[in-house]
Amino acid sequence: RGRGYFPPGNQRGAASGGRNNSAVKGTMTLAPFSGHRSMPITLPSRRDTAAAPCHFSGGRSPDCVGATSQASWALDATGHVHEGSSGAGSFAAVPGASEIVAMAIGGAHALFLRADGAVLSLGANDRGQLGTGDTVSRTDVAAVAGLQDIVAVAAGQETSFAVAADGLVYAWGSNDSGQLGVGDEDAFAHPEPLVIPSLVDIAGIAAARDHVLVVSREGGLLSWGEGSSGQLGHGSSGILASKTQPVPLDLEARALDVAASGNTSYAILADGALLGWGQNNSGQLGLGDTSARSKPTACLVGKVLAVGPGAVGAQAIDAQGVLFAWGSNGSGQLSQPLPPDGPARSSSPVEVLWP
């Protein structure tokens, strides 16, 4: 959901998403071999790990997986994080990353939310996205300074976010497009968390490449950051559409959840309706066409329980528990034959059939 894992007991939770990143909950495809798969495959269970093509240290099966182009991470049900580099055949436990309940994956960095409300980070840090007070990249986890009682984390391409139990939102890292939400933009690194002053009573958050969505405890939706593709949902696009501080969206019903990826945004409303807006060149909004939208528009999938956007597509589970996918099929994302035998994309949701 929301390109992130939602911690147990937290209504909404982690979300993430630079263009090439993912973090999804449940049993998902994560195989350390080259080549595309156009049908779902199952990750190893605790019983068959030794015979499966993807191996996790300690024989644990993943509860949440996430990846950048350089590395992949898996969070198991016991709260341990495992890391595998590109092309590796196995995953190794990340030292110090235990009692983790959520993770968020950015462009080349990762955030891990610990059960006690602390946040850990590792990876690239040239814009201060690790929140360690400097711009030194790290291969070992380090604590994000000054945070406590955190209930959700999110990661953009080079920016990081955390929601505290009191409803405040913290941001750090890049501010090139005003994604820190403090009313301006700049080219400096921001390596220490700061409070976004205009936000209170926030329950959930989603970050994409350079834009951010939050949902309040009362179901209000706000967005800010890069808006050139209409991904902020305020009715405009282009060079002047970006916002450097949160701006509310006018919705017909309360928002329950948000998700974002690349230059695309999604929201699930209280009645289960899924809305999408922003970039749509691959049909990733699920609207039956490839025209961008600058305002929230109802997707053709109908009522949903959860949505998970990818780089050029999305998946959703409907109210009956059926999985649908739409967008690009260049790598078999739709569970359809690869082109030219199958479609290059589908702008309308198609049902994913399990083997």
Side-chain angles (χ1 to χ4, degrees):
R1 300 173 63 187
R3 303 202 75 193
Y5 170 57
F6 288 68
N10 182 31
Q11 254 189 326
R12 296 150 184 108
S16 66
R19 176 179 292 269
N20 298 317
N21 322 324
S22 63
V24 289
K25 183 178 185 293
T27 303
M28 300 294 295
T29 300
L30 184 66
F33 43 73
S34 60
H36 304 301
R37 295 295 187 271
S38 59
M39 288 294 292
I41 65 172
T42 302
L43 284 173
S45 70
R46 289 175 176 83
R47 294 185 301 274
D48 62 7
T49 297
C54 189
H55 306 289
F56 297 86
S57 59
R60 302 180 178 94
S61 62
D63 192 56
C64 173
V65 294
T68 69
S69 58
Q70 292 82 30
S72 300
W73 290 272
L75 172 61
D76 68 32
T78 68
H80 292 84
V81 176
H82 308 262
E83 181 178 4
S85 60
S86 179
S90 62
F91 283 67
V94 176
S98 60
E99 300 183 0
I100 303 301
V101 296
M103 65 181 186
I105 312 303
H109 74 289
L111 305 176
F112 306 113
L113 175 59
R114 209 164 56 192
D116 62 0
V119 179
L120 308 176
S121 61
L122 62 76
N125 195 31
D126 52 310
R127 307 308 301 275
Q129 59 263 48
L130 298 187
T132 51
D134 54 38
T135 56
V136 178
S137 299
R138 287 172 168 80
T139 56
D140 297 322
V141 295
V144 177
L147 296 184
Q148 60 183 1
D149 297 327
I150 299 302
V151 297
V153 290
Q157 188 72 11
E158 296 179 316
T159 312
S160 302
F161 304 88
V163 180
D166 60 7
L168 295 180
V169 178
Y170 295 83
W172 60 97
S174 173
N175 194 38
D176 288 350
S177 299
Q179 57 267 53
L180 293 184
V182 294
D184 60 14
E185 61 183 51
D186 59 66
F188 303 112
H190 297 269
E192 297 180 355
L194 53 86
V195 175
I196 300 178
S198 59
L199 293 179
V200 295
D201 293 328
I202 299 302
I205 187 167
R209 184 170 61 182
D210 291 315
H211 78 284
V212 192
L213 310 172
V214 293
V215 59
S216 72
R217 292 170 178 170
E218 294 184 352
L221 181 61
L222 302 94
S223 65
W224 69 94
E226 174 65 42
S228 59
S229 297
Q231 63 265 49
L232 297 186
H234 301 139
S236 60
S237 59
I239 193 171
L240 299 179
S242 298
K243 305 294 183 182
T244 59
Q245 57 187 5
V247 178
L249 278 74
D250 185 18
L251 301 177
E252 296 181 356
R254 291 189 308 115
L256 292 182
D257 203 357
V258 286
S261 176
N263 294 323
T264 307
S265 303
Y266 304 87
I268 299 177
L269 302 185
D271 62 0
L274 177 64
L275 307 181
W277 62 97
Q279 192 171 15
N280 194 35
N281 57 302
S282 295
Q284 57 262 54
L285 295 182
L287 304 176
D289 58 43
T290 56
S291 299
R293 301 294 197 280
S294 61
K295 289 186 176 182
T297 305
C299 300
L300 299 180
V301 70
K303 310 299 185 183
V304 304
L305 301 175
V307 61
V312 285
Q315 306 81 35
I317 300 174
D318 74 1
Q320 286 71 48
V322 178
L323 178 64
F324 288 88
W326 59 91
S328 173
N329 192 48
S331 299
Q333 300 98 308
L334 302 182
S335 189
Q336 303 286 319
L338 292 169
D341 298 322
R345 66 188 179 201
S346 175
S347 59
S348 298
V350 296
E351 182 178 350
V352 175
L353 300 177
W354 297 96

